[in-house]
């Protein structure tokens, strides 16, 4: 009897499962991305910028823990803190003063190190315009189904980010690089996080679709660092990334936390600066975008023992009804570039000519002075 | 004297034309000693190009010329070389005619003084004769045209050549006694760069003496003449300024030209004294030092004009020298103008004390300017102190030159009054010291 109930339950379970799988096959195609990439950049060098390297390494650690492999991470560190002469604890980079967390770990793979971290290299990585001799580990080999996480940290200002204390990248250049990526179909969705002073200025100029941006401070505000460690002697991390790391430590690959939770990370009471975010270019509702869509590499895999009939056309799973303002026209690659607005027409050269009144006045005066000096008697020679 | 002058003009024009065609023209037009932000030809072309694009040329820090220059070069930009050569020729001819007239007057005054027995007997060797003064005008024209400074300035197409032409015409009209033209040219010269304002004292003195108005501040005719001259000067300045407003329809040029000259924002090294000081200065002292430096240019007018009341042409020479040394953006073209006057005072050579030292220092510094510039900017083995040292030395040499001539002039006047061999009351030989 029990076996029969069990068997009937099992069969109903199986049958419902199979029906579910067929009906839910649409869910496999709802999020749009099939692979994840991460570009993590630390732009500052010198020992006192320890915290920027720690920032980047902590995001690297989270991203790797959540599943993105090293082959899909481009890690650019402008300086080497772990093996710096001034590091009292060599081969470690800590995130908190109690040395709780060594973000350097055992298997860090740095792709661009030291002086290789330049604006040119960064932009070349993003746009893919690298010389043919560049090894694969240094390339961002994304395609149009890739979700990319880009994390920048360093010293910045209103509209620029300083690289290596000698050059800077502007928000316009960054926006243009992302537009190039869009046109070359190098991303499906892109999450841009920046932890610098006045970081919000860096995402102000974005104009490509499917970008979401977060910054640690608004224009006019400085991003502050967390506590210093008295043994190491420098500030270990920046506040925003510290609380971001804390938040990410609670995320596991099956977590359903979404972007709205990420926006709440580090409120003003903890961060002192006001973190900002920008979602107007992002076509989905941020609430439907999972953290693991960007920070992890979650494969949609469901194991089933039966064959599934996919002859019916797969419909996309219904998404949450979007509010009016988020209803956007989906861009196609062809017609989203207003060429005539972007290519400036050269203004027609019309020569400037001095006004006639001026010429008249000047020569009248000259003639007046001439005749006053030399007398009216010369007048009869003219007329 | 027309023939030698024409020959000289042809030689000068040939030299300039030859240099224009050579590759040196580009090299010279970038030298900071020859062009300044006020006078550079590159900036004139840039301003005209901006105007063609519909932008005011005074936006940004590029163009610091007056609107009359815009008008002038709008039509002549293709003939720029001929224009600058012509400007040099006009300056030389004007100086020639000036000095000829001046010599005539000097000789006439000397004749009257001789007849009135005003000179002591033993200073007859100081009296000048027409024979020795015959070639002075030609020498003045030659000193101006064949001076390497002038040639460099002309080849670089620096608008300093035009400023010099206006100043030379001003001096010419003053010497000829034409009050209106003198006021008009002075207002033009002041309109171009503010500093020739100091020459008005000399012009007033000269014109008053020429019209036999006594130079006495208690007399009404003195003030009446000053009022007339001031009215003509201010009137023509006002007319020129308003006309410049009508050219572009805005008053932008006032801060760009006069604000630039007076507040010295551009600290590119040149042969003047301002750049190094102001590069080192703290911001809160800047206004104070700016006032000090600018007053320094205008300050010598009153004492010099009191001392040189009887000799306004020498006063003009000294004022030109003071302007060229202490102005905010001097170039070698400014120096060339007052150096052209040196043959006029060639009779003073026996009283000059430091002329060998001064000429050696001037020559050496002129040669060292490009060397130390190269060492500082290109080789990196010197720094700005080296270049400023040469600048300082150059200016000190110029000041020494001018004060030496001042000393010699006053000494000659003293001898002409008191005799050549001075004796103290007890009969022993006395020496004359400039205090």
């Amino acid at each position: 009897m029990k076996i029969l109930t069990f068997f009937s339950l099992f069969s109903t379970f199986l049958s419902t499962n199979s029906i579910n799988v067929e009906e839910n096959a649409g869910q496999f195609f709802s999020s749009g991305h099939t692979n994840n990439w991460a570009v993590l950049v630390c732009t500052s060098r010198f020992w006192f910028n320890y915290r920027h390297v720690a920032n980047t390494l902590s995001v690297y650690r989270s991203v790797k823990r959540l599943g993105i492999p090293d082959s899909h991470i481009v890690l650019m560190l402008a300086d080497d803190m772990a093996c710096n002469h001034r590091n009292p604890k060599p081969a470690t980079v800590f995130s908190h003063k109690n040395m709780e967390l060594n973000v350097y770990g055992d298997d860090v793979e740095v792709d661009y190190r030291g002086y290789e971290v330049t604006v040119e290299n960064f932009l070349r990585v993003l746009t893919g315009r690298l010389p043919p001799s560049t090894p694969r580990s240094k390339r961002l080999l994304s395609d149009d189904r890739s979700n990319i996480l880009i994390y920048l940290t360093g010293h910045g200002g209103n509209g620029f980010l300083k690289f290596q204390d000698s050059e800077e990248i502007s928000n316009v250049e960054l926006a243009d690089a992302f537009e190039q990526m869009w046109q070359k179909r190098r991303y499906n969705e892109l999450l841009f996080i920046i932890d610098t002073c006045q970081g919000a200025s860096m995402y102000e100029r974005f104009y490509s679709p499917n970008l979401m941006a977060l910054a640690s401070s608004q224009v006019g505000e400085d991003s502050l660092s967390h506590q210093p460690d008295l043994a190491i002697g420098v500030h270990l991390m920046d506040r925003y990334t510290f609380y971001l790391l804390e938040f990410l430590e609670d995320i596991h690959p099956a977590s359903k936390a979404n972007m709205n939770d990420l926006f709440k990370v580090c409120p003003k009471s903890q961060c002192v600066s006001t973190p900002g975010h920008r979602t107007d270019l992002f076509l989905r509702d941020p609430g439907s975008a999972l953290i693991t869509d960007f920070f992890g590499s979650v494969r949609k895999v469901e194991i089933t023992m039966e064959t599934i009939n996919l002859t019916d056309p797969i419909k996309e799973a219904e998404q949450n009804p979007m509010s009016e303002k988020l209803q956007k026209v989906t861009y196609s690659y062809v017609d989203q570039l207003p060429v005539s607005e972007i290519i400036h027409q050269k203004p027609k050269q019309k020569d400037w000519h001095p006004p006639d009144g001026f010429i008249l006045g000047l020569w009248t005066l000259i003639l007046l002075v001439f005749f006053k000096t030399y007398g009216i008697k010369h007048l009869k020679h003219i007329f | 004297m027309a023939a030698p002058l024409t020959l000289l003009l042809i030689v000068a024009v040939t030299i300039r034309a030859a240099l224009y065609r050579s590759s040196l023209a580009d090299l010279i037009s970038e030298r900071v000693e020859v062009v300044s932000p006020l006078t550079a030809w590159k900036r004139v072309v840039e301003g005209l190009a901006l105007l063609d694009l519909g932008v005011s040329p005074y936006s940004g820090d590029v163009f610091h010329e007056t609107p009359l220059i815009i008008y002038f070069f709008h039509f002549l930009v293709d003939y720029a070389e001929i224009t600058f050569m012509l400007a040099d020729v006009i300056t030389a001819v004007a100086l020639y005619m000036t000095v000829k007239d001046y010599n005539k007057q000097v000789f006439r005054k000397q004749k009257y003084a001789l007849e009135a027995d005003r000179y002591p007997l033993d200073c007859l060797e100081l009296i000048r004769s027409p024979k020795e003064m015959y070639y002075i005008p030609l020498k003045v024209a030659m000193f101006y045209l064949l001076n390497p400074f002038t040639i460099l300035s002309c080849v670089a197409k620096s608008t300093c050549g035009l400023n010099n032409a206006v100043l030379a015409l001003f001096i010419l009209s003053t010497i000829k006694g034409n009050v209106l033209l003198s006021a008009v040219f002075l207002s033009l010269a002041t309109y171009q760069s503010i500093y020739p304002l100091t020459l008005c004292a000399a012009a007033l003195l000269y014109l008053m003496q020429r019209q036999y108005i006594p130079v006495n501040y208690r007399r009404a005719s003195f003030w009446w003449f000053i009022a007339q001259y001031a009215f003509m000067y201010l009137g023509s300045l006002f007319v020129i300024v308003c006309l410049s407003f009508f050219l572009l329809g805005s008053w932008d040029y006032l801060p760009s030209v006069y604000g630039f000259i007076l507040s010295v924002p551009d600290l590119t090294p040149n042969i003047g004294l301002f750049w190094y000081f102001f590069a080192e200065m703290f911001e809160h002292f800047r206004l104070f030092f700016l006032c000090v430096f600018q007053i320094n240019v205008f300050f010598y007018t009153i004492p010099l004009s009191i001392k040189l009341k009887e000799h306004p042409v020498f006063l003009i020479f000294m004022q030109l020298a003071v302007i060229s040394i202490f102005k905010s953006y001097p170039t070698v073209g400014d120096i060339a103008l007052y150096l052209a006057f040196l043959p006029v005072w060639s009779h003073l050579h026996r009283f000059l004390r430091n002329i060998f030292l001064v000429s050696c220092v001037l020559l050496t510094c002129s040669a060292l300017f490009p060397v130390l510039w190269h060492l500082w900017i290109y080789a990196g083995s010197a720094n700005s102190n080296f270049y400023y040292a040469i600048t300082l030395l150059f200016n000190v040499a110029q000041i020494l030159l001018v004060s030496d001539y001042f000393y010699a002039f006053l000494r000659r006047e003293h001898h002409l009054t008191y005799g050549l061999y001075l004796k103290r009351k007890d009969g022993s030989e006395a020496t004359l010291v400039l205090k």
Side-chain angles (χ1 to χ4, degrees):
Chain A
M1 188 60 193
K2 274 199 221 155
I3 298 170
L4 196 61
T5 352
F6 182 66
F7 187 72
S8 61
L9 279 173
F10 192 62
S11 59
T12 42
F13 172 69
L14 276 179
S15 56
T16 47
N17 226 2
S18 64
I19 298 169
N20 280 345
V21 169
E22 271 194 32
E23 283 174 1
N24 293 339
Q27 262 186 4
F28 279 87
F29 304 100
S30 67
S31 83
H33 76 280
T34 57
N35 55 78
N36 284 78
W37 285 80
V39 179
L40 311 174
V41 185
C42 159
T43 60
S44 319
R45 53 176 30 245
F46 305 128
W47 173 244
F48 50 83
N49 289 321
Y50 185 102
R51 59 189 189 282
H52 296 139
V53 174
N55 289 350
T56 320
L57 283 173
S58 54
V59 177
Y60 172 79
R61 171 206 154 70
S62 309
V63 149
K64 221 165 128 166
R65 192 173 53 76
L66 291 171
I68 303 185
D70 273 312
S71 56
H72 281 227
I73 304 179
V74 177
L75 179 60
M76 303 170 81
L77 295 181
D79 205 351
D80 184 4
M81 297 308 170
C83 299
N84 194 308
H85 303 300
R86 292 168 73 167
N87 191 348
K89 303 182 170 46
T92 59
V93 174
F94 288 110
S95 68
H96 191 70
K97 66 177 189 215
N98 288 333
M99 295 184 287
E100 294 162 354
L101 194 54
N102 173 16
V103 290
Y104 202 65
D106 291 330
D107 56 348
V108 171
E109 206 177 281
V110 180
D111 299 304
Y112 286 83
R113 64 191 70 231
Y115 286 112
E116 290 171 347
V117 179
T118 58
V119 173
E120 179 187 349
N121 281 349
F122 175 58
L123 290 176
R124 283 187 185 277
V125 163
L126 286 183
T127 53
R129 294 157 85 159
L130 289 159
S133 56
T134 318
R136 286 178 73 88
S137 59
K138 282 185 161 178
R139 289 179 184 260
L140 176 66
L141 295 166
S142 54
D143 54 30
D144 65 323
R145 291 272 141 233
S146 306
N147 274 13
I148 307 185
L149 166 71
I150 297 189
Y151 177 82
L152 296 174
T153 183
H155 290 288
N158 189 354
F160 66 93
L161 169 63
K162 189 169 74 160
F163 267 67
Q164 299 265 19
D165 212 22
S166 67
E167 54 178 359
E168 49 199 39
I169 186 171
S170 68
N171 48 8
V172 179
E173 282 174 340
L174 199 56
D176 287 341
F178 287 156
E179 176 65 13
Q180 275 195 51
M181 289 174 79
W182 173 252
Q183 288 189 24
K184 293 165 85 158
R185 309 187 188 198
R186 283 169 67 78
Y187 71 90
N188 174 43
E189 284 165 349
L190 201 147
L191 176 63
F192 175 77
I193 306 184
I194 182 160
D195 187 351
T196 63
C197 303
Q198 309 195 47
S201 63
M202 289 305 283
Y203 61 65
E204 270 172 6
R205 300 292 204 119
F206 291 169
Y207 56 97
S208 317
N210 285 345
L211 293 176
M212 191 181 334
L214 279 104
S216 59
S217 57
Q218 301 290 333
V219 174
E221 288 180 347
D222 290 337
S223 288
L224 302 174
S225 53
H226 208 47
Q227 313 124 330
D229 179 306
L230 294 173
I232 297 182
V234 286
H235 287 269
L236 295 186
M237 259 179 99
D238 282 329
R239 285 179 185 247
Y240 181 76
T241 313
F242 181 79
Y243 290 108
L244 181 69
L245 180 62
E246 229 177 52
F247 170 77
L248 287 174
E249 289 289 300
D250 292 331
I251 306 287
H252 54 87
S255 155
K256 292 288 170 201
N258 57 41
M259 283 295 148
N260 285 334
D261 303 322
L262 192 60
F263 297 153
K264 295 198 198 95
V265 162
C266 204
K268 198 166 160 113
S269 55
Q270 284 174 325
C271 251
V272 184
S273 56
T274 320
H277 53 93
R278 181 176 176 181
T279 53
D280 56 317
L281 293 167
F282 198 72
L283 295 180
R284 291 193 286 153
D285 176 29
S288 68
L290 303 178
I291 301 278
T292 50
D293 278 350
F294 292 100
F295 282 88
S297 184
V298 177
R299 295 281 181 274
K300 281 207 166 10
V301 174
E302 182 151 338
I303 304 176
T304 173
M305 301 277 257
E306 9 184 291
T307 50
I308 303 193
N309 195 349
L310 290 176
T311 50
D312 294 327
I314 306 288
K315 290 191 213 48
E316 271 191 39
E318 271 180 26
Q319 298 176 348
N320 300 334
M322 287 194 278
S323 59
E324 270 306 306
K325 66 175 168 60
L326 285 176
Q327 200 91 30
K328 285 266 190 348
V329 177
T330 48
Y331 288 108
S332 68
Y333 281 103
V334 172
D335 56 357
Q336 48 86 37
L337 190 64
V339 173
S340 56
E341 284 168 28
I342 291 176
I343 297 178
H344 298 293
Q345 306 285 346
K346 222 169 120 167
K348 210 163 52 135
Q349 294 266 49
K350 42 182 207 315
D351 277 338
W352 171 84
H353 213 78
D356 300 323
F358 172 82
I359 303 180
L360 200 67
L362 185 69
W363 287 101
T364 319
L365 279 168
I366 292 177
L367 281 173
L368 269 176
V369 170
F370 174 74
F371 284 125
K372 173 74 177 59
T373 322
Y374 292 106
I376 299 291
K377 64 182 188 295
H378 289 268
L379 210 53
K380 70 175 194 300
H381 293 283
I382 313 273
F383 293 105
Chain B
M1 289 282 280
L5 183 63
T6 324
L7 182 64
L8 176 65
L9 291 176
I10 292 174
V11 167
V13 166
T14 316
I15 296 178
R16 285 165 172 75
L19 278 173
Y20 272 128
R21 294 280 169 269
S22 76
S23 63
L24 285 176
D26 287 326
L27 202 71
I28 293 172
S29 55
E30 289 172 353
R31 300 289 329 165
V32 284
E33 298 97 11
V34 185
V35 295
S36 71
L38 277 177
T39 60
W41 176 246
K42 213 164 50 154
R43 291 178 181 247
V44 173
V45 171
E46 184 84 21
L48 290 175
L50 280 174
L51 206 49
D52 277 339
L53 287 172
V55 174
S56 159
Y58 297 109
S59 53
D61 192 32
V62 165
F63 188 70
H64 298 288
E65 303 276 0
T66 55
L68 275 182
I69 298 271
I70 297 181
Y71 171 68
F72 188 65
F73 279 116
H74 176 73
F75 298 106
L76 292 175
V77 69
D78 297 321
Y79 308 109
E81 298 165 1
I82 300 180
T83 312
F84 284 106
M85 285 200 276
L86 204 63
D88 271 356
V89 162
I90 290 176
T91 316
V93 169
L95 287 176
Y96 176 87
M97 292 164 62
T98 308
V99 175
K100 213 155 87 157
D101 213 286
Y102 175 61
N103 280 349
K104 275 203 204 104
Q105 288 172 13
V106 159
F107 189 63
R108 204 176 56 200
K109 254 201 222 153
Q110 199 178 252
K111 201 165 75 154
Y112 291 155
L114 265 178
E115 287 170 3
D117 250 347
R118 264 194 248 140
Y119 294 140
L121 287 164
D122 54 358
C123 66
L124 285 172
E125 55 195 70
L126 293 176
I127 307 290
R128 306 169 71 185
S129 66
K131 196 152 159 255
E132 78 184 40
M133 300 202 308
Y134 185 68
Y135 280 110
I136 289 182
L138 188 64
K139 277 196 212 160
V140 166
M142 191 166 65
F143 261 55
Y144 184 73
L145 281 175
L146 300 181
N147 191 346
F149 289 156
T150 329
I151 297 179
L152 283 175
S153 179
C154 180
V155 172
K157 291 193 268 219
S158 155
T159 56
C160 190
L162 296 175
N163 290 359
N164 285 356
V166 172
L167 276 171
L169 286 170
F170 158 68
I171 299 175
L172 175 65
S173 52
T174 314
I175 300 282
K176 291 275 184 192
N178 192 330
V179 182
L180 174 67
L181 270 187
S182 160
V184 164
F185 279 121
L186 186 63
S187 67
L188 254 181
T190 316
Y191 167 77
Q192 284 284 97
S193 66
I194 308 177
Y195 299 106
L197 185 58
T198 56
L199 293 170
C200 74
L204 277 170
L205 281 171
Y206 183 85
L207 289 166
M208 281 199 274
Q209 286 170 5
R210 198 185 158 92
Q211 295 186 356
Y212 302 112
I213 300 170
V215 181
N216 190 345
Y217 60 87
R218 291 192 204 99
R219 304 284 283 261
S221 52
F222 175 76
W223 294 111
W224 176 238
F225 185 78
I226 289 188
Q228 277 180 311
Y229 193 85
F231 174 72
M232 281 190 277
Y233 170 74
L234 288 171
S236 38
L237 193 61
F238 177 72
V239 164
I240 294 175
V241 163
C242 289
L243 214 55
S244 316
F245 169 71
F246 283 117
L247 184 74
L248 286 172
S250 70
W251 295 107
D252 285 350
Y253 72 97
L254 288 176
S256 260
V257 181
Y258 304 118
F260 186 80
I261 295 177
L262 288 176
S263 69
V264 193
D266 186 320
L267 296 176
T268 323
N270 47 47
I271 58 175
L273 300 162
F274 278 63
W275 59 277
Y276 189 78
F277 268 97
F278 283 89
E280 305 275 321
M281 197 175 284
F282 291 118
E283 274 304 310
H284 45 274
F285 286 130
R286 203 189 146 88
L287 185 60
F288 169 68
F289 277 103
L290 205 56
C291 296
V292 165
F293 274 70
Q294 298 287 4
I295 288 174
N296 196 23
V297 186
F298 294 96
F299 192 67
Y300 298 101
T301 318
I302 299 182
L304 279 177
S305 45
I306 294 175
K307 182 73 189 170
L308 292 171
K309 232 177 6 201
E310 313 290 328
H311 316 284
V313 179
F314 193 75
L315 179 60
I316 290 182
F317 167 71
M318 295 229 36
Q319 286 290 13
L320 279 176
V322 161
I323 291 173
S324 320
I325 297 172
F326 294 113
K327 74 192 283 200
S328 44
Y329 293 101
T331 60
V332 291
D334 302 308
I335 298 175
L337 185 62
Y338 81 81
L339 281 181
F341 276 98
L342 291 183
V344 185
W345 327 113
S346 55
H347 58 280
L348 299 172
H349 72 275
R350 61 182 290 175
F351 298 118
L352 290 171
R353 290 179 305 170
N354 302 324
I355 199 67
F356 178 68
L357 176 71
V358 164
S359 47
C360 281
V361 172
L362 282 175
L363 278 172
T364 326
C365 288
S366 319
L368 277 176
F369 271 122
V371 170
L372 282 167
W373 179 261
H374 177 89
L375 275 181
W376 172 24
I377 303 285
Y378 297 108
S381 57
N383 58 31
S384 59
N385 297 325
F386 289 69
Y387 194 75
Y388 190 62
I390 299 300
T391 304
L392 260 184
L393 204 56
F394 191 68
N395 286 320
V396 163
Q398 286 183 66
I399 294 173
L400 252 185
L401 173 73
V402 168
S403 53
D404 215 12
Y405 267 93
F406 190 45
Y407 164 78
F409 191 83
L410 290 178
R411 184 161 167 178
R412 180 175 174 270
E413 295 302 314
H414 184 93
H415 281 311
L416 284 176
T417 329
Y418 296 109
L420 195 52
Y421 300 103
L422 304 166
K423 301 238 180 302
R424 293 205 197 127
K425 295 214 177 61
D426 54 1
S428 62
E429 198 176 325
T431 48
L432 199 56
V433 177
L434 179 68
K435 277 199 169 226

